[in-house]
Structure formats: structure tokens, C-alpha cells
Amino acid sequence: SIPSAIMSSSASATPSSSAVEQPESKPSAEGQISDKPVPNPQNTAYLTFDDGPTALTPQVLDILKEQGVKATFFVVCKQDPALEAVMKRAYDEGHEIAVHSATHDYHKIYASKEAFLADFQTTREWIQRVTGSPEPTLQYRFPGGSSISKKYAEPDILNSILFMMKEINAIHNDWNVSAGDASKTVPTKEQLLARIIPEALKYNEPVILMHDAQRNVHLCEALPEIISALRKEGYVFDTVSRIQNPVQHRIYGQDGNLHCGGGYLKRVK
């Protein structure tokens, strides 16, 4: 059963609208660009960072502060006072703190819908305690994404998880642009720029996946140039709870099968 505390919650650990960069004037198959529904008239980019907090997070926050940009952090529980303080800083500076996982252990998380819910609850309770947010978040990102391989998550279990999370009004956020920075080889600054900027410019609402990992040493070199390049093309930045068309690789299928989601709307020119 779903706890009543989750059923009644509707807010998220997200900054007020005044803290978010405002514009000056303001499902298709996975990976395919769609024209429907009507796109946001203001192209808006969403910088998202998975797996933090880490020793890299303060550097990322420094750059975001310098650039005047808000981002979303999909976090993993870290029982470390110093890292918890970093998440508190991120929240206080207007960034959105959303659920990724308590363990990031695919076999445990996807063992059943009950196991997934327990992991989700643990993470969002940690977020609320660390940030001091008045309400728990309902924004989350599946470890591995909702298109995760069936060798880690059986399709019927994933479909039941999607239904359960839909019932509590939780929103899963995948990505339509990837930095490719979770591979064995750490990408260079040039590789990050080449992977992110041309792909982001295809979409009305690019949701950019990056990893907040200490090994990702070139991310902070690339980040200011990514922001600058998108701004030059007229993009503003926001956090995922304000997205008009969430990127979702897979969504619940009433017929028992996973369905393709959306979030690949063409850039408005």
C-alpha cells in the first residue's frame, strides 16, 4: 500500500519562481523529435546532475552562481555532514533537489515496486531533512533511466512502478541530451561540449544529463561554455519541476506493456 503521507503531498524541494532565471520576454519514440504538443514559446534548458553530492558539487555550485543559472540535482543519500551541508547550500541558492536513489543498486531498487517505493521514500526524506524543505519532493529520476535494460528491471515490474508513482503524482524525469560522462573513460572538455551543445540546440526543452562525480574533472571546464552557447541561441534556464513537457523514455501502459514517452519537441526558432 502507498503511505498516506505520500498520497497527500504535492509540493517539491524546489525554489520559488522568483529564484529561477526568467526569460527576458518569455510521445514519440525515444530519441525522435516530435512537433506535438505545442512547445514552450521560450526555449528553456534544464541542467541536471546525477549522483551527488560529491567533492565536485561545490565547484559546480560556484559556476552556477557566477552564471546566474539554476539547475536540478538528482541525488543519492550520503550520510556525511560535509556533503549534506553542500546539498543545503544548493537548496538555499535556489537549485532543485530531487530523488535519484538511496543506494543506486539496480538489483535492490528494481526487485519489486515495494522495494522501489522504499528507496524513493528514504531518499526524499533525506532530502527534506538535509535541505529543510517544507514539503517532500515528487520529482525523481530512475537510476539508469526509465529505459533501463530489462536485465536490471523486468518490464512488468517497471510498468507497475510507473503506475504506482503516477498514482501519487510523482513525476519521473529522463533526459534528451547526455554528456556521456558515466562511461569508463572520463570525457575531455572538448568531448563534453561536442556531445551536449549540438544536441541541446535541437530541442525546445533540452534536459541535459551530467554526472556529479569527482572523477568528472573536465565538467567544470565545460559548464560555463555550455551555458554561454545556449544563452547565445536564446535559451533560458530553469529547474525540472517547471518543465512543460517532461522527458520520459518510458511511461505506464494500461495494456501491461511499457509505452514510449515524450519530451523531444523541436527547438522554437
Side-chain angles (χ1 to χ4, degrees):
S1 62
I2 299 172
S4 59
I6 291 183
M7 291 294 290
S8 63
S9 176
S10 60
S12 62
T14 181
S16 65
S17 59
S18 61
V20 178
E21 178 185 353
Q22 298 298 313
E24 294 178 3
S25 50
K26 204 174 172 187
S28 59
E30 181 191 342
Q32 293 182 345
I33 298 177
S34 170
D35 288 313
K36 296 182 180 181
V38 176
N40 179 357
Q42 178 70 51
N43 293 314
T44 305
Y46 302 83
L47 303 177
T48 70
F49 300 90
D50 283 13
D51 299 347
T54 68
L56 184 71
T57 316
Q59 299 173 57
V60 172
L61 291 174
D62 288 346
I63 291 168
L64 295 174
K65 188 173 184 179
E66 289 167 6
Q67 296 287 329
V69 167
K70 305 308 178 190
T72 304
F73 292 83
F74 290 98
V75 298
V76 176
C77 297
K78 306 284 176 68
Q79 306 301 331
D80 179 319
L83 293 178
E84 290 181 349
V86 170
M87 278 295 90
K88 173 63 172 166
R89 173 192 166 186
Y91 176 76
D92 288 346
E93 291 182 358
H95 303 291
E96 183 160 4
I97 316 301
V99 171
H100 197 34
S101 177
T103 66
H104 215 291
D105 184 327
Y106 292 168
H107 295 293
K108 289 181 179 178
I109 297 165
Y110 297 117
S112 65
K113 66 178 184 180
E114 292 80 13
F116 184 90
L117 181 63
D119 186 87
F120 174 81
Q121 282 184 269
T122 297
T123 311
R124 75 183 202 146
E125 287 168 5
W126 180 84
I127 292 170
Q128 194 172 10
R129 176 179 65 79
V130 168
T131 64
S133 172
E135 295 289 344
T137 182
L138 285 169
Q139 303 288 333
Y140 71 103
R141 174 171 283 164
F142 283 105
S146 65
S147 53
I148 187 170
S149 168
K150 63 182 180 182
K151 73 177 180 180
Y152 298 117
E154 290 292 337
D156 58 334
I157 292 177
L158 185 57
N159 202 39
S160 70
I161 291 170
L162 285 164
F163 176 76
M164 173 183 69
M165 300 303 279
K166 183 172 178 283
E167 286 290 289
I168 63 170
N169 299 315
I171 300 171
H172 69 284
N173 298 270
D174 289 311
W175 58 90
N176 49 23
V177 180
S178 175
D181 55 2
S183 57
K184 290 181 180 179
T185 304
V186 176
T188 65
K189 171 188 170 182
E190 291 70 25
Q191 287 174 322
L192 290 169
L193 296 175
R195 292 170 184 174
I196 292 173
I197 295 171
E199 287 300 308
L201 292 176
K202 293 178 181 178
Y203 300 115
N204 174 220
E205 293 185 304
V207 177
I208 303 167
L209 168 65
M210 295 166 282
H211 285 84
D212 181 0
Q214 195 168 351
R215 67 188 283 273
N216 201 6
V217 294
H218 301 295
L219 177 61
C220 289
E221 298 170 15
L223 194 53
E225 293 187 32
I226 293 166
I227 293 168
S228 176
L230 294 179
R231 275 188 169 147
K232 186 177 179 181
E233 294 295 329
Y235 284 81
V236 295
F237 294 85
D238 213 332
T239 60
V240 296
S241 64
R242 291 161 56 82
I243 195 169
Q244 291 196 11
N245 297 284
V247 178
Q248 297 175 330
H249 299 164
R250 300 288 180 268
I251 58 175
Y252 167 71
Q254 208 167 9
D255 59 2
N257 298 310
L258 294 167
H259 287 205
C260 290
Y264 293 87
L265 305 184
K266 288 180 180 179
R267 173 186 175 193
V268 177
K269 295 184 180 180

